[in-house]
Amino acid sequence: MPSETRSPRLAVLIDADNASAKIADGLFEEIAKIGEASVRRIYGDFSNARSRGWADILSKHAIIPQQQFAYTTGKNASDITLVIDAMDLLYRGHVDGFGIMSSDSDFLPLVQRIREEGLPVYGFGTQKTPGPFQEACTRFFDVGALALSDEERLEQPVTAKGQRPVDPELLQVLGSAYKASKRDEEGYTPLSELGQRAKAVSSFAARNYGFGRLSELIKAVPNFEVKAGGDGRLLVKRLR
């Protein structure tokens, strides 16, 4: 278990065959909010054009490449090596959690095994990543959102009311989180509690919807009102 005086040590393992180098900056920015990326490894055949894009940014993020040549068609040595390294790190006990970047559902058993040992697993993949893999992770991040710069997020399509289109699933998650939260006599609940409730039942993250902060997302969602409480905390209320 991580001590109270340091950030959790995370092993960030990247499947280069199923991940774009364009999201590297966003990936490590998000990891830094969770803990320290003490292990940074990437797996793939970097002689392959699909994985070659990573070669230019390895030194920038201090990522150690694990070259795996594709000797046989249909056999993915990179996946096998990633799993071996993950289990090795798990049993050595030198890390407090894992970040696995891949949209490949083949890593589902690995995620489940790590979670059984009590360690969190943060998944990073595309929206097309199979649901079971996303749900197995402690939290799952949509790399499409991580790849956007702040300027690009602001340029995303907006509705006539000046709000980004709202995902129906997002409304359902926020609605369930609000119902589960403790509310005052006026129906307000701390924004932080709403966020915690949402994360507890889904792979919820504000960046998955193109927002840098939860407060920005809530203000753009219809039927929710946000105000500042007397102690400075933001409070949120679902409108009828």
Side-chain angles (χ1 to χ4, degrees), residues 131-148:
F133 177 83
Q134 294 190 35
E135 293 301 323
C137 294
T138 305
R139 286 180 64 188
F140 183 85
F141 298 84
D142 174 11
V143 296
L146 298 182
L148 297 176

Side-chain angles (χ1 to χ4, degrees), residues 21 28 32 63 73 76 78 82 104 122 128 130 138 146 182 194 204 230:
F28 285 102
I63 307 172
T73 302
N76 198 331
S78 298
L82 189 156
D104 191 341
Y122 303 97
K128 296 181 180 180
T138 305
L146 298 182
K182 294 180 180 179
L194 182 75
F204 174 82

Side-chain angles (χ1 to χ4, degrees), residues 84-100:
I84 291 173
D85 280 2
M87 296 305 293
D88 185 36
L89 290 165
L90 174 66
Y91 287 114
R92 285 185 181 183
H94 293 167
V95 296
D96 306 308
F98 289 80
I100 297 179

Side-chain angles (χ1 to χ4, degrees), residues 183-213:
R183 303 184 291 276
D184 62 18
E185 295 179 354
E186 296 181 4
Y188 286 96
T189 185
L191 179 63
S192 58
E193 180 174 350
L194 182 75
Q196 292 172 357
R197 297 284 185 180
K199 293 175 184 177
V201 298
S202 71
S203 56
F204 174 82
R207 293 196 69 162
N208 288 356
Y209 300 93
F211 293 86
R213 298 172 180 268

Side-chain angles (χ1 to χ4, degrees), residues 14-31:
I14 302 170
D15 175 14
D17 295 334
N18 286 285
S20 170
K22 295 180 181 180
I23 61 83
D25 290 344
L27 167 67
F28 285 102
E29 285 177 8
E30 203 65 40
I31 287 291

Side-chain angles (χ1 to χ4, degrees), residues 102-154:
S102 179
S103 298
D104 191 341
S105 62
D106 289 346
F107 292 115
L108 173 60
L110 173 64
V111 174
Q112 292 172 322
R113 185 67 185 87
I114 294 173
R115 294 293 303 278
E116 286 180 358
E117 292 296 320
L119 269 64
V121 179
Y122 303 97
F124 297 84
T126 66
Q127 289 183 336
K128 296 181 180 180
T129 302
F133 177 83
Q134 294 190 35
E135 293 301 323
C137 294
T138 305
R139 286 180 64 188
F140 183 85
F141 298 84
D142 174 11
V143 296
L146 298 182
L148 297 176
S149 65
D150 291 339
E151 292 77 11
E152 289 173 324
R153 290 192 189 96
L154 293 175

